[in-house]
C-alpha cells in the first residue's frame, strides 16, 4: 500500500551525529498508550541492525487504572549498545513521556542533561491534576536539569493522519508511532522493520495501517525538519557472535527450554499450573504448542497444580509446575511428597516482591530460603537459578536433566526481571543440543521382584511407570524402607533414609559445572558473588571496576543447592566476599552457614534490579576502605 | 478401561498385594477392598494398567493392599494426583480411594473440580462420618450435634451430603452403596468401573472403633428395608419389608406413600438415571434418614466427553494442523535476524 | 445486623473511603460498589460494625473503597477469614467480596464449607467468567470452548455453576443479579443484608477488558427479556417482552411455554423461595442460556440457626453450667498431690 | 464395696529391698491391652508418693492393627526417681511384655540383666507367628541376658476373678491390672491410689470394679507369695519444691497456657485448627473448656484454620492455630499475610517425623528451618520452642505476650515427645501470674485520623479492632505505606518496610530473658547447646559429665528468632560448641550463619529422643579427643 506524506523541508544544515557506546531510552505513558508496543518495535529494529539490546518493561499493578493517573503508567526501557549489554541500563538517556503522570513517575530516572520528550498536548489541567501536579512542571522551571522538548504530538499526529478516514479517536491512538518515529530519527534508526511489521499486522485494515505509517513517518520527519535537536546519536553495531538471533524474554526462553527437554527425551510435557503474575506467561506460551505434545492443565489452585504434576511424573511424563512465591508456599507440602516418593519434576518460581501479596508486578529474589529450607522435616531438593533471560532456556533443560538423572524435584528460580526482560538469543541448532535419554525399566531388578527403592551408586532409584507389566509397586509419603520401598517405622531405617536423601542431592554436585571466576582466577582482594538476575549488573560493574584497575572479581552461582563442588575453594581465594542481593541476605546466610565466611551483604529490596552504578560504587568504597585501612 | 482379554483370567485374589492389612478388625474397609478386587477381576482389568491413588486416612491405605500400581499421596489431594496420572497416560485405569475427611474436608475443592471436569476416574468415598486415622474427630458428614473428641458438646456444623455436592458439580456418574451389602456394592462398583467419565461412589462404611453403628439404621435386619430404597433405572421407587411403600412426587417434594388402595405403582416416582439434567438426582440425594429411606444405587449415569479426551483431542488436532512440533520452528517463532 | 438507628442517618457516599478507585473505566465492579453502599445506607449499617473481607482479584479490591473496616486477604481465603471475624465478634456485620476465580477456583473449598455451616456472612461473587487481575485466563465459570490466554484452542473444562454449587452445599440464601440492572441488584443485596445466615449472591459482572459482552445476552435491550426471568416468591415464572412466555414443569424438567391458548398462569411453575428442601432452587439453577431464560432474584431463602449462634450457645451454656471459668479449676483438673 | 481375695501365704523370709536413685519401667502389649492405662496409674502413684516422674507413651501408627501383630504394639515408659528427672529414662530396668509382639519390639531397650516380666499365656504358636518368631524366644535361650519371669497372667487373673460374674472375655481384659499389681509389689508402691481410681471409674459397675481390684491385688500378692524375685527395689521420695502438683503432658500444659493468657487478658480465645497427630489433643483439650470463652473452630483444612485465626485476630480475639509440620506447610502463605498485616497470633507446631507424612506418630525437631525461613519473601516472625512438657505452659503464655506486645505472628514449636510425654507440674497460683494487659485504641492517633501503621518506638502498630467507631481502616497483603497503611508500590517504602519488619522482630530480643549457662558461667572447653525437647537429655548428660569432673556446660535456647541478646557472647566463651538435634543440623546452620561459629553437630533422626547416655558419650569423646590433641 502507498502512504504519502509531505517530504521534509530540508534543514539549513544537517544535525550533527555523535557516536555512543550505548543508549537507554524509556517510553512512558498511560497503559492505553501502547508504550510496550513501540518499545518492542525499537528493540527489534536495534537488534536487527546489530546492536546488543536489553529491555525491561514496567507494568502497572492495576489492569487499567483510570487514564491519566499515576497508577496507570506503563513504561518500557530499552538499552541498545555497541558492546555486550547485561542490563536494561542504569539511568535513562532519553525519556518519552506521553502525559503528566508518566513524567512524574519516570523523570527521576532520567540522567542530568538527558533528553526529555514530552507530548505537550496531554499537559492539560485535568491530566496535571490526576498526576497530582499543582502547577505545570513544563513551565515552572522544575525540569531545568534536562533538555526539554515539548512536542504537540496529538495535534501533529492528527494533522498527519487527517486523510486516512479514521475517526479522531482512532487517530489519537497512533501518537505512539509518532513518538517512535521521532526517536528513530534521533538515534538514526531505519523505519523499515517497523513499517514491515505494520504491514503484516494491519495489512487488512488499510485505514489503520496508513494512519500508523503516517504517524511514524511524521514523527521521523519532524526530527528531520525541526531545529529543536542539536545532535543525533548513533550507536554502532556490536561485535556479536554470528548466527541467527531472536529476542527472548525469560518466560519465553524458559517455556522453550521445557519443550526442548521433553522433545529431546521424546516425552509428553505436562505443565500443571495456576495463573499468577509474573509466571502466567509460561502457561500461555506452553498452551500454544500442543503439537509438541505439551499438555497444559490450568488447575483449580497451586496445590492441585503440583499434585497433578506429581501424578503425571509417576505416570511417566516430564512434568513441571510454574508459579511465584505465594504459590510455592502452597506447594511445599506436596513437594515434600515428591521428595519422599523420589519422583522427577520441576518447580519454576518466577519470584516477585513479597512477603504475602507484596508487590506482585515487581521483581525480587527473596524466595531462596523458601526453596532450600522452606519445608517441614528434612526435605532436601535441588535448587537452581537462571541468570539472564536467555539463560532460562538452558537452566530449564538443566532442571529436567537433574530431575530425571537424580529422581528428585528441582526448583528453578527466575524472577520478574528475567521473566519480562528481554535480550537477543542465538538460536541453537536442535541437532547440536545434548542428547537427553530417559530410561524406564521394563524388567525386574531382583530375582522375580521389582524393588522400587533399589538404587544405583549415586543413590538414585529407577523410574518404573504404570503400564509396565511386572513392575507394579506403590509409593507414598510415609517413610519407606530402603530398597523395598515398603512403609517402615523403624528408627534406624528412618535415620538412614534421612541421610540418604540428603546425600543423593549432594551427589548432584558431581554433575554440576564448576564455579567460574570472572577476573582474577588466582583470587585477590574482593569477590562479588551473585545468583539469579543480579548477574547482569554485577558482571558489568566488575568489568567497569576492573577496567579502572581495581582488584575485584566476580562469580555467579546458578546451582544453589548443591553448590558447585569448588565453591568453597573459590570463595576462600578472596580476602573479602560481597554478595549483592534483592533481599536481606539470603544467599549470604547460606554461604555463611556452609563455609563460615564473613561475606558482606549488599541488599536492595525495592522491587527493581540493582543498577551497575550502585554495585560499582559499593565495590569502589569497599576497596577504598580497604586501602584506607591498609595505609 | 483396559479390558482387553489377557491370556490368563485374573481372579480377585490376584489383585492383592503382599502387604499386611492394618485396618482394625471389623472395619468396613475390608469389605470394600474385597469387592473392588472382585470387580477388577470381572471387568478383566490389567494390573499393570491400573492405578489406585489415595490421600491420607484409614481408607487411604487402600493402594498398599492392591497388587496394581498405587500412590498413597497426601491429605485431600488424591483427585488432583489422579488427574495428573490420567492426563499423562489416558490409557491407564485410575481409581481414587478417599475418606469423608480426605475427600470432602481438606480435599473438597479437588473433589469439586475433578468432578466438573469429568476426568475419567473412579472416586470411591469411604464415608464413615468420622475421622478414623486421627482417632475420632467429627467429619463434614457427621450429623449436627454429634459428640466427638473435638465436639464434646456436639457438633454445630451442618453436614455436607456428598452426593448433593457431587451433583452440585454436575457429576456424570453418582452412586451410593454400603459396606455390608456386598452384592450391591459389587454391582455398583462394576457400574462405576464401566462408566466413562468421573464416577463417584459414596460407600457407607462402618468405623467400628470411633463411630460404630453409624449406619445401623441402614444395615440392621430390622430396619434396613424401611430406611433404604434401591434405585433401578426405569423402575418406580418401592421399598419396605413387603415392598408396600413407595415414593411419590408432590410438586418438587418426594413423599412416602403406601401402595394399594388408590395408589398404584404408576403413581410413583420412576427412576431415570439418564436424565440430562441432574435435578432428579439432586432431589433423590436429599432423601435422608429418618424422614425418608435413603436411596442406594446409581443416582445418575450420563455420558459426556471426558477432560482427557478433549485435551488429547486438541493435542492431536494441533499435530494434524501443524505437524509434530519441530524445535527449529519453535525457536524461529517471531522476528529473527542474522548476524554475520 | 447492627442497624440500631444512630443519631445521624448515613447516605451511600458516607460509606466511601478516601482511596482512588483503580478498576478499569467501564468495569462492572463500579456498579456493585455503588449498590452496596446504597444498601448499607438503607439498612442503616454502622461503619464501625461493618467489615468487608476479600481475597485477591480485581473484585477483591472492594474493601479499600469502603469506609468500613476491611480486610484484603489472600487468594481464595476470604470466607475463612470472615468466619474468624464473625466468630470472634458475632456482633459485626461481615461481608465477603470475591470473584469467580477467587471464590470458586482456589477458594472453592472454603466457599463450600462456609455455606454449609451457615455462618452469618454475606458473600458477593463478582462473576465475570474470567480472571481479570491476572489478565485474562479462563475461570471455572467460563463456558466450554472459551478461548483465552491459557486456552488458545478453547477451554476443555465444563464450567461450574455457582448457584448449583451453593445449593449442593445447602445454602440458606441464594440469589443472582447483574451489574447493570442497578435496581434489581440493590433489591437483591438488601435481601441478602437482611438474611440471617450465609447469604450467597452471584452477580453477573462485565469485565470490559478481558471478557467484554460475556453477559450481553442478559443485558442488551433486544434480548434480555427473553434470556432472563425474574423470580418472585409465590409468583409464576413469566418472562418475554410481552410477558407471554412462562416456565412449566414437565416431570422434573422445566420447559418454556407460550401463555394464552390452553396454557394459563396457573399451569406454570410457581416460585417458592422458602421450600425447606432446596430441590426447586437446584432445578432453577440449572436453567441456562441459550436453552432457558436465566433466573434472576432470590432462588432460596430459608432460616436455620447460624454457626456462630450455635457455637456461642455452647459457650453460654457452659458458663451457665459450670460458671465462668476459673483458672484454679482448670489447673486442678485430674489427680493432684501435695508435696510438703 | 468389699473385695476379698485370699491373703498371701507368707514367704519363708521377706524379699530383700534395694534402694535405687531412679527406675525405668516399660509396659508393652497390644493396643487393646490397656498399657497406657496402667502406665498412667503407676505414674500417678509414684508421683503422689514423692517421686519425680517422667513418662513417654509410644503409640502404634495404626489405630488398631490386628491383635498380636508388631504394628499393634503399644508401650508406656515411666521413669521415677529420687532426684530431678528430665527424661523418661535411657534404658529400661523392667519390661512388662504382654505378648510376643510386645517382647519383640521392646526387648532391645531393656538393660542387660534387666527384669523381663512375661505374660506367658500369650506365647502360643499363633501369637508367636504373628510376631514373626520362628521359635519361642522364652525357650531357646535368646533372652539369657535378662532376668526372665514367665507368669501365666491370664490364668492367674481368671482364677482371681472367677467369682465376679464377669464373662471370661471381660475377665481377660483385667490382666493389665494384674501386671500392675505385680509391678507395684516389685517397687514397693501402695495400691491405694489405683484402688481409689478404680472405685471412681467403675463405682457403678460392681462386677468390673471387683474384677479389676481382684486382678490388681492378685498380682501384688503374687509378688508377696512367690519366691521368683530375689530383690525388690525402692526409690525414695525426691526433694521437690513444696506445693500442689499434677501431672501434665505437653499438649495439656500448652492448652492451659493458652487459656491462661486469654483469661488474664480477659479475652475470648479463638482456636482454629484442623486435626493432625500429634497436635489434635490440643483441640480436644480446648474444646472442653468453653466456659472460659474458648471458641474452637475445627476448620475444613489448615488453610481455613490459619485464615480464620487471622480474621479472629483482626476482630480482637486472642487467636491461635495448632498443627504439625505438614499443616504448617499449608499455612505459610497465610502466615505471611499476618506478618504483612501485623496482627498478633500464635502458630503451634507439634513437630513429628518428616518429611511429608513421614513418621506421623514419632517425634522429631526438623521444622526449625521451616519456621524461621520457610516463607516467600522477607517474612520474619518470632520463633519460640518449649523445652519440657510443663514448659509448654509457660511458653504458650510467652507466645501470646510477644504476639500482642509486638503485633506479630509467633511460632511455638513443640514436638511429639513433649506433647505426649508427662511430668509433674507445680500448679501455679493464678493470682501470682504476671498481669497480661491488652490495649485496643479507641481514639484517633493523629489529628482527626487513625493511622493504622503508626508505630511506637519499638516499631509496633496499634491493635484497633472492628466495632470501634472512628478507627475504621483496611489491612491486606499488598505492601503498605508506613504509618498510613495505604497500598504503596514505591521502591523506597518497600525497602523501608522490609527492613522495618525485620527490625521489629529483632526488637523482641529486648524482652527476652538472657541465655543462661548451666555449668561454667565463665566459659570453658565445651558448651552443649540445645533447643526444644533435647533439654532433658542434654541437661542430665551435662550434669553427669560435670559430676565426673569434665569441663562441659550447657545452654538451652527457647527463643530461636530472635535469639537472646547475649547468645553470641555466651557461645564465644567456649572453645567448642556441640549441638545435639533430632534433625540434620538445623539450629547448627542458624548458629553458623548468625555467629560464624563452627558448631559441631550431633544428629539423630530416628523418631525418638536422645538418651542421656548418647550425649554423655559424645561429650566424653569430644573432651577426650580434645585432651588427646592437647597432649
Ligand atoms: C495436611 C494434613 N492435615 C491433617 C492430617 C491428619 N489427618 C490424617 S487422616 C485425617 C482425616 C481422616 O479422616 P477420613 O478422611 O474420613 O478417613 P478415615 O480415617 O475416616 O478413613 C486427618 C485429619 C494430615 N495427615 N495431613
Ligand atoms: C496463591 C495465589 N495464586 C494466584 C494468584 C494470582 N491471582 C490473583 S487474582 C487471580 C484470579 C482473579 O480472578 P477472579 O477471582 O475471577 O477475580 P477478578 O479479577 O476477575 O475480579 C489470580 C489467579 C495469587 N494472587 N495468589
Ligand atoms: S479407626 Fe475406624 S476406619 Fe480406621 S481402620 Fe479402625 S475401624 Fe476402620
Ligand atoms: S480487568 Fe476486568 S474485572 Fe478487572 S478492573 Fe478491569 S474491567 Fe474490571
Ligand atoms: Mg472418615
Ligand atoms: Mg473473575
Amino acid at each position: 500500500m502507498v502512504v504519502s506524506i509531505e517530504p521534509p523541508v530540508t534543514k539549513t544544515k544537517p544535525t550533527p551525529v555523535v557516536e555512543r557506546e550505548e543508549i537507554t531510552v524509556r517510553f512512558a505513558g498511560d497503559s492505553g498508550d501502547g508504550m510496550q508496543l513501540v518499545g518492542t518495535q525499537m528493540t527489534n529494529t536495534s537488534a536487527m541492525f546489530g546492536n546488543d539490546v536489553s529491555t525491561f518493561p514496567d507494568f502497572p499493578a492495576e489492569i487499567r487504572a483510570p487514564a491519566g493517573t499515576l497508577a496507570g503508567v506503563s513504561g518500557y526501557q530499552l538499552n541498545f549498545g555497541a558492546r555486550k549489554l547485561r542490563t536494561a541500563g542504569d539511568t535513562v538517556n532519553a525519556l518519552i513521556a506521553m502525559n503528566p503522570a508518566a513524567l512524574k513517575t519516570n523523570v527521576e530516572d532520567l540522567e542530568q542533561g538527558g533528553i526529555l520528550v514530552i507530548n505537550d498536548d496531554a499537559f492539560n489541567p485535568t491530566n496535571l491534576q490526576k498526576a497530582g501536579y499543582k502547577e505545570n512542571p513544563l513551565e515552572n522551571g522544575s525540569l531545568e536539569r534536562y533538555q526539554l522538548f515539548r512536542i504537540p504530538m496529538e495535534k501533529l499526529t492528527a494533522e498527519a493522519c487527517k486523510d486516512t478516514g479514521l475517526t479522531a479517536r482512532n487517530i489519537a491512538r497512533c501518537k505512539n508511532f509518532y513518538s517512535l518515529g521521532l526517536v528513530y530519527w534521533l538515534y538514526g534508526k531505519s523505519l523499515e522493520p517497523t513499517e514491515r511489521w505494520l504491514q503484516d499486522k494491519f495489512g487488512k485494515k488499510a485505514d489503520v495501517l496508513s494512519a500508523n505509517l503516517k504517524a511514524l513517518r511524521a514523527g521521523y520527519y519532524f526530527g528531520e525538519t525541526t531545529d529543536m535537536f542539536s545532535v543525533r546519536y548513533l550507536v554502532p553495531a556490536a561485535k556479536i557472535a554470528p548466527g541467527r538471533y531472536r529476542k527472548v524474554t525469560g518466560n519465553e526462553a524458559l517455556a522453550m527450554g521445557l519443550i526442548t527437554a521433553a522433545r529431546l527425551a521424546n516425552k509428553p510435557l505436562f505443565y500443571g499450573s495456576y495463573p499468577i503474575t509474573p509466571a502466567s506467561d509460561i502457561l500461555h506460551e506452553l498452551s500454544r504448542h500442543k503439537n509438541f505434545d505439551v499438555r497444559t492443565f490450568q488447575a483449580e489452585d497451586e496445590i492441585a497444580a503440583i499434585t497433578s504434576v506429581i501424578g503425571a511424573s509417576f505416570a511417566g511424563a516430564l512434568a513441571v509446575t510454574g508459579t511465584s512465591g505465594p504459590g510455592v508456599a502452597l506447594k511445599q507440602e506436596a513437594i515434600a511428597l515428591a521428595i519422599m516418593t523420589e519422583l522427577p519434576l520441576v518447580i519454576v518460581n518466577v519470584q516477585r516482591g513479597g512477603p504475602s501479596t507484596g508487590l506482585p508486578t515487581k521483581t525480587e529474589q527473596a524466595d531462596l530460603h523458601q526453596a532450600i529450607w522452606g519445608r517441614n522435616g528434612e526435605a532436601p531438593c535441588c535448587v537452581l537459578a537462571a541468570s539472564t533471560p536467555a539463560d532460562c532456556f538452558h537452566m530449564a533443560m538443566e532442571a529436567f536433566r537433574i530431575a530425571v538423572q537424580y529422581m528428585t524435584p528441582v526448583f528453578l528460580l527466575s524472577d520478574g526481571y528475567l521473566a519480562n526482560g528481554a535480550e537477543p538469543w542465538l538460536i541453537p541448532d536442535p541437532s547440536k543440543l545434548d542428547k537427553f535419554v530417559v530410561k524406564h525399566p521394563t524388567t525386574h531388578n531382583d530375582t522375580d521382584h521389582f524393588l522400587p527403592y533399589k538404587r544405583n551408586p549415586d543413590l538414585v532409584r529407577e523410574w518404573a511407570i504404570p503400564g509396565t507389566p511386572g513392575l507394579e509397586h506403590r509409593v507414598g509419603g510415609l517413610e519407606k524402607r530402603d530398597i523395598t520401598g515398603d512403609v517402615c517405622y523403624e528408627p534406624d531405617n528412618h535415620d538412614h533414609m534421612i541421610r540418604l536423601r540428603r546425600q543423593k542431592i549432594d551427589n548432584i554436585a558431581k554433575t554440576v559445572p564448576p564455579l567460574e571466576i570472572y577476573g582474577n582466577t588466582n583470587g585477590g582482594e574482593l569477590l562479588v558473588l551473585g545468583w539469579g538476575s543480579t548477574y547482569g549488573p554485577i558482571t558489568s560493574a566488575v568489568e567497569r571496576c576492573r577496567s579502572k584497575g581495581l582488584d575485584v572479581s566476580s562469580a555467579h552461582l546458578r546451582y544453589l543447592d548443591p553448590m558447585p563442588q569448588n565453591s568453597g575453594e573459590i570463595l576462600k581465594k578472596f580476602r573479602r566476599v560481597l554478595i549483592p542481593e534483592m533481599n536481606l541476605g539470603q544467599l549470604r546466610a547460606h554461604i555463611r552457614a556452609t563455609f563460615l565466611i564473613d561475606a558482606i551483604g549488599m541488599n536492595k529490596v525495592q522491587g527493581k534490579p540493582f543498577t551497575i552504578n550502585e554495585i560499582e560504587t559499593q565495590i569502589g568504597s569497599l576497596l577504598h576502605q580497604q586501602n584506607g585501612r591498609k595505609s | 478401561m483396559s479390558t482387553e482379554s489377557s491370556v490368563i483370567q485374573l481372579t480377585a485374589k490376584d489383585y492383592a498385594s503382599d502387604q499386611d492389612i492394618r485396618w482394625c478388625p471389623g472395619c468396613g474397609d475390608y469389605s470394600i477392598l474385597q469387592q473392588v478386587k472382585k470387580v477388577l477381576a470381572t471387568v478383566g482389568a490389567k494390573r499393570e494398567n491400573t492405578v489406585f491413588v489415595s490421600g491420607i486416612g484409614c481408607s487411604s491405605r487402600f493402594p498398599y493392599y492392591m497388587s496394581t500400581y498405587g500412590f498413597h499421596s497426601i491429605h485431600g489431594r488424591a483427585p488432583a494426583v489422579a488427574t495428573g496420572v490420567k492426563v499423562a497416560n489416558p490409557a491407564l485405569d485410575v481409581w481414587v480411594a478417599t475418606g469423608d475427611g480426605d475427600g470432602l474436608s481438606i480435599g473438597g475443592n479437588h473433589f469439586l473440580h475433578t468432578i466438573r471436569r469429568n476426568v475419567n476416574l473412579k472416586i470411591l468415598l469411604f464415608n464413615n462420618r468420622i475421622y478414623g486415622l486421627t482417632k475420632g474427630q467429627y467429619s463434614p458428614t457427621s450429623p449436627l450435634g454429634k459428640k466427638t473428641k473435638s465436639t464434646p458438646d456436639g457438633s454445630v456444623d451442618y453436614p455436607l451430603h456428598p452426593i448433593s455436592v457431587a451433583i452440585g458439580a454436575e457429576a456424570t456418574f453418582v452412586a451410593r452403596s454400603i459396606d455390608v451389602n456386598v452384592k450391591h456394592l459389587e454391582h455398583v462398583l462394576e457400574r462405576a468401573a464401566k462408566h466413562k467419565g468421573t464416577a463417584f461412589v459414596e460407600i457407607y462404611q462402618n468405623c467400628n472403633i470411633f463411630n460404630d453403628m453409624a449406619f445401623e439404621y441402614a444395615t440392621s435386619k430390622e430396619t434396613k428395608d424401611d430406611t433404604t430404597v434401591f434405585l433401578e433405572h426405569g423402575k418406580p421407587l418401592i421399598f419396605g419389608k413387603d415392598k408396600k411403600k413407595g415414593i411419590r412426587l408432590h410438586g418438587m417434594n418426594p413423599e412416602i406413600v403406601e401402595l394399594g388402595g388408590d395408589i398404584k405403582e404408576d403413581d410413583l416416582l420412576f427412576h431415570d438415571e439418564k436424565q440430562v439434567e441432574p435435578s432428579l438426582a439432586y432431589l433423590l440425594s436429599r432423601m435422608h434418614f429418618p424422614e425418608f429411606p435413603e436411596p442406594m444405587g446409581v443416582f445418575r449415569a450420563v455420558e459426556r466427553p471426558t477432560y482427557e479426551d478433549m485435551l488429547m483431542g486438541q493435542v492431536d488436532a494441533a499435530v494434524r494442523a501443524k505437524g509434530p512440533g519441530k524445535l527449529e520452528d519453535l525457536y524461529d517463532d517471531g522476528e529473527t535476524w542474522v548476524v554475520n
Side-chain angles (χ1 to χ4, degrees), chain B residues 193-211:
Chain B
K194 289 178 171 163
H195 177 72
K196 192 160 158 57
T198 311
F200 170 63
V201 184
E202 177 187 23
I203 306 167
Y204 286 176
Q205 172 248 325
N206 192 39
C207 167
N208 54 313
I209 302 298
F210 296 111
N211 201 19

Side-chain angles (χ1 to χ4, degrees), chain A residues 240-259:
Chain A
I240 290 179
R244 191 175 183 76
Y245 283 81
R246 63 174 281 193
K247 204 186 53 181
V248 286
T249 64
N251 276 349
E252 286 165 353
L254 209 154
M256 286 192 289
L258 297 174
I259 295 176

Side-chain angles (χ1 to χ4, degrees), chain B residues 108-127:
Chain B
N109 206 29
H110 312 304
F111 181 77
L112 211 61
H113 285 271
T114 303
I115 285 177
R116 69 130 171 152
R117 289 192 190 103
N118 199 31
V119 186
N120 187 2
L121 307 173
K122 318 299 146 215
I123 304 182
L124 312 183
L125 188 126
F126 296 42
N127 186 3

Side-chain angles (χ1 to χ4, degrees), chain B residues 22 24-25 61 75 105-106 131-133 137-138 150 152-153 210:
Chain B
R22 296 187 173 181
C24 306
R61 291 295 178 99
H75 200 29
S105 193
I106 191 168
Y131 288 178
L133 190 70
Q137 300 81 16
Y138 77 116
S150 56
D153 306 317
F210 296 111

